Amino acid sequence: MKKTFITGIGTVLMLTGISIACKDSFLNVAPTGQLVNTLLTTSNGLQGLLISAYAELNGRGYTQTASPTNWVYGSIMGGDANKGSDPADFNAITPFETYLINASSAEVNSRWQMLYEGVSRANSVLRLIPSADPTVTAAIKQQVSGEARFLRGLYYFDLKRTFNMVPYIDETVDYGAGITTVQNNTDIWPKIEADFKYAYDNLAETNSQAGRANKWAAAAYLARTYMYQKKYTEAKALYDLIIANGKTTNGKKYGLVPQYAQVFNAANENSEEAVFSTQNVANAGSSDAASGDLNLNYPYSAGIGATCCDFFKPSFDLANSFRTNANGLPVDIALANGAYDNSANEIKTDMGLLPGDPFTPDAGNLDPRLDHTVGRRGIPYLDYGDFTSAWTRNQAFGGPYSTKKYVFYLAQQGKVADVSNWTKGWSATNIVLMRYSDVLLMAAEAEVEVGSLAKAMEYTNLVRTRAANPAGFVMTAAGQPAAKYVISVYPAASFASQALARSTVRFERKLELAEEGQRFFDLVRWGIAEPTLTAFLTYEKTKLSNAYSGAVFTAGKNEYLPLPQTQIDLQGTSVLKQNPGY
């Protein structure tokens, strides 16, 4: 896909080749909707509307917390990261890290609105296809409807795992035609399955525009939908096909890029690992075309990236998870044990405020993915030089680390950073919403649950082998590894039983997908959110002042967000039923 997105109906009209001139005939107004529908049912019009549905993947028009990157809902709520910055700065995020969320939260309402806006845009496309202009071929209708249903499935997928019971609205329901009476009393998983299945059956494998969804992206999301419902046999069968035959929209056979850091590098977008990504462009006349959902999450330094604002700071618990033993394996894979948080295994950190403060670098064994995920003192931070404590903001509140994935390189700023807004945090970097290592680990999980432990080990070790590639280690200016990186593939003993295999795969997901918006949703679908996050809170509270004041995870409540009270007030309690505990 060309890296542009539609942000309004005027742009759609321009895409269709319609020009607007000032003359008296503009006073002859056609009946409402008639002219627009005539324009939009052409091939270009339908494609323009479809691109507007893609555009909402970045949450444009809503807050930075609304989009499907899920850095708040998947990562902060999952213990990957602390809110960071200053306590009073964007403190609307604080209730999400403390699980003290209120139904009146503007952020909760923004999340709901953004996802339903995406649904609405996809439905607008599907509603117009039956009345398409005669010049629109059957092949174009099939392609457009397949992509629209993929996108609708994706938006509903996030609605389902965020709020659980939500109203399902398709293209047959519109304003003035029953939309306000649709209740949230029916499980929508079958509807999500149907959308992804339709997309899988109707989309081609390749397209000249690399950012569009294809057959295999639909298959991967359908398989993920099965996993969330514990339909492991169905998921395994589909993962077998994806791993054997899957390819990107631009025709690359699915695979792992050789070096872990290249997944997040703007110079390597739409790689063989990118199953589905957002598409962004910088300096196109408006920052609306760039990705702004991560624009607050750069180190707090005038010389680093966007110079703002040090949110989304990796947690102590996450950093400690990358400790390895003498055999290059995690020191603990039993999620309820937490040996990696014991004092003997903790990563040595710098909690001073100045670069000259006393600090002894960590000398223990580490998984190399740590330093591609976490900015920490004394380790090169991309090409900006060694990370210092001066680059963090309010360490006592957020900790000593800064996030690293999807931060653009210094050498890329002129091309990638958008300078049309108040911070350069808007960027042209694509965000990979699903990547192939995620697919492999989901497939490994499915294999564990159906009893194929050897195959699960094979898939998991593919991911771990890439992590162990020394060519991908963070290196010092002198060309030496920046830390003591010791990592090995898992031995058969780690997969000797279903219970061991399950713990191994789950812990590998924590490491591989850290800070990518997956952790909280994984814990919930595994049914272990309460014990895992309670242990996390108990530990993390000892490291930070006030960040987790009053924090408690309540089982049976905090697995899902409350429905926005604004929406319940608009629809009525007879239409929308609030989630338990709120």
Side-chain angles (χ1 to χ4, degrees):
M1 178 183 290
K2 293 180 180 179
K3 297 185 72 175
T4 55
F5 277 125
I6 304 302
T7 57
I9 192 67
T11 314
V12 173
L13 292 175
M14 286 189 287
L15 187 74
T16 64
I18 305 299
S19 60
I20 301 174
C22 294
K23 55 184 180 180
D24 291 345
S25 60
F26 84 94
L27 297 172
N28 299 320
V29 180
T32 302
Q34 179 176 314
L35 179 60
V36 171
N37 281 356
T38 300
L39 296 175
L40 297 181
T41 53
T42 64
S43 179
N44 282 345
L46 290 171
Q47 297 284 3
L49 278 182
L50 179 62
I51 293 172
S52 77
Y54 276 102
E56 202 54 33
L57 290 171
N58 273 327
R60 289 175 173 86
Y62 300 93
T63 69
Q64 293 95 336
T65 68
S67 77
T69 57
N70 291 313
W71 65 276
V72 172
Y73 308 107
S75 288
I76 288 180
M77 289 184 66
D80 274 357
N82 304 311
K83 173 219 172 227
S85 193
D86 277 332
D89 198 355
F90 204 176
N91 60 10
I93 301 177
T94 301
F96 296 95
E97 73 171 348
T98 58
Y99 312 104
L100 300 174
I101 305 157
N102 192 295
S104 62
S105 164
E107 298 306 309
V108 171
N109 192 47
S110 183
R111 170 74 163 177
W112 177 282
Q113 288 181 305
M114 175 262 147
L115 291 171
Y116 271 112
E117 174 66 20
V119 168
S120 176
R121 294 185 184 198
N123 281 340
S124 293
V125 177
L126 295 166
R127 193 175 294 121
L128 287 173
I129 288 175
S131 58
D133 186 272
T135 60
V136 179
T137 66
I140 291 176
K141 290 180 183 178
Q142 181 176 333
Q143 169 254 321
V144 170
S145 63
E147 290 183 54
R149 290 193 64 172
F150 170 87
L151 291 170
R152 184 173 69 185
L154 183 55
Y155 291 122
Y156 271 125
F157 181 85
D158 263 353
L159 279 163
K160 173 64 180 175
R161 62 181 185 164
T162 302
F163 298 102
N164 193 21
M165 300 300 287
V166 297
Y168 186 87
I169 298 159
D170 64 17
E171 71 275 18
T172 67
V173 184
D174 200 359
Y175 291 100
I179 196 172
T180 58
T181 64
V182 180
Q183 297 178 294
N184 65 328
N185 57 359
T186 303
D187 187 355
I188 69 168
W189 279 129
K191 300 288 190 181
I192 297 170
E193 279 188 27
D195 275 344
F196 287 140
K197 182 65 164 59
Y198 180 92
Y200 173 55
D201 289 339
N202 286 277
L203 288 177
E205 291 188 300
T206 60
N207 191 299
S208 59
Q209 297 177 313
R212 291 184 182 263
N214 72 339
K215 175 185 185 70
W216 295 110
Y221 274 98
L222 177 58
R224 177 178 279 184
T225 301
Y226 289 146
M227 293 295 289
Y228 270 73
Q229 299 174 85
K230 297 180 170 51
K231 295 182 176 180
Y232 300 119
T233 301
E234 293 92 331
K236 172 193 160 35
L238 199 47
Y239 281 128
D240 286 347
L241 293 173
I242 294 167
I243 292 169
N245 304 305
K247 62 179 67 173
T248 64
T249 301
N250 54 5
K252 299 173 183 175
K253 175 75 172 66
Y254 280 156
L256 301 173
V257 297
Q259 298 180 24
Y260 184 72
Q262 294 309 307
V263 175
F264 317 103
N265 189 336
N268 198 39
E269 63 188 20
N270 298 320
S271 71
E272 63 269 32
E273 192 162 343
V275 176
F276 188 65
S277 308
T278 66
Q279 302 290 310
N280 305 293
V281 64
N283 303 310
S286 168
S287 61
D288 284 345
S291 172
D293 40 344
L294 303 179
N295 67 355
L296 302 179
N297 303 345
Y298 289 75
Y300 198 65
S301 169
I304 305 298
T307 74
C308 177
C309 296
D310 207 28
F311 286 88
F312 195 40
K313 294 173 72 62
S315 66
F316 289 87
D317 175 90
L318 177 68
N320 295 341
S321 300
F322 289 91
R323 175 71 75 201
T324 57
N325 62 22
N327 296 319
L329 300 175
V331 295
D332 176 35
I333 59 172
L335 298 182
N337 187 323
Y340 47 84
D341 283 337
N342 291 344
S343 58
N345 292 320
E346 291 177 314
I347 305 296
K348 290 187 180 296
T349 60
D350 167 28
M351 288 298 287
L353 299 178
L354 299 173
D357 288 342
F359 173 61
T360 302
D362 191 279
N365 296 350
L366 297 170
D367 184 316
R369 287 171 293 188
L370 168 67
D371 290 326
H372 294 302
T373 305
V374 177
R376 59 191 187 100
R377 182 169 172 176
I379 303 297
Y381 191 88
L382 305 178
D383 58 348
Y384 293 95
D386 288 353
F387 190 87
T388 80
S389 58
W391 295 356
T392 65
R393 184 183 190 186
N394 199 336
Q395 292 189 53
F397 177 72
Y401 303 127
S402 288
T403 190
K404 205 167 184 179
K405 291 179 177 178
Y406 294 115
V407 173
F408 50 74
Y409 290 70
L410 176 62
Q412 296 173 339
Q413 284 197 46
K415 180 179 180 180
V416 175
D418 193 284
V419 297
S420 61
N421 215 306
W422 63 275
T423 170
K424 292 183 289 185
W426 275 267
S427 79
T429 306
N430 291 353
I431 307 298
V432 185
L433 299 181
M434 185 187 289
R435 56 191 182 91
Y436 188 57
S437 65
D438 185 351
V439 169
L440 285 172
L441 291 174
M442 277 285 199
E445 188 180 327
E447 298 289 355
V448 168
E449 298 304 330
V450 301
S452 303
L453 304 187
K455 181 60 72 172
M457 184 173 75
E458 175 189 333
Y459 290 157
T460 306
N461 278 338
L462 287 174
V463 174
R464 203 159 176 88
T465 297
R466 189 265 300 276
N469 179 6
F473 292 175
V474 173
M475 308 296 280
T476 67
Q480 299 298 314
K484 189 179 179 183
Y485 302 129
V486 181
I487 182 173
S488 302
V489 297
Y490 291 108
S494 297
F495 287 80
S497 69
Q498 188 178 53
L500 276 172
R502 185 180 291 125
S503 292
T504 300
V505 174
R506 289 177 177 181
F507 199 76
E508 190 64 21
R509 280 186 68 81
K510 180 182 185 180
L511 300 174
E512 174 71 13
L513 303 172
E515 294 218 310
E516 295 182 48
Q518 298 294 340
R519 179 67 173 166
F520 180 77
F521 301 119
D522 280 346
L523 294 174
V524 171
R525 70 184 177 85
W526 293 332
I528 59 172
E530 189 278 327
T532 304
L533 294 174
T534 296
F536 164 78
L537 291 173
T538 300
Y539 174 75
E540 205 75 10
K541 284 178 181 179
T542 67
K543 298 295 183 179
L544 301 171
S545 61
N546 301 320
Y548 287 92
S549 178
V552 60
F553 186 95
T554 302
K557 173 185 176 180
N558 291 128
E559 289 87 354
Y560 300 102
L561 295 186
L563 271 64
Q565 190 61 46
T566 298
Q567 303 302 323
I568 293 176
D569 291 343
L570 287 170
Q571 306 295 87
T573 55
S574 63
V575 176
L576 297 181
K577 181 180 178 181
Q578 184 56 277
N579 281 330
Y582 294 102

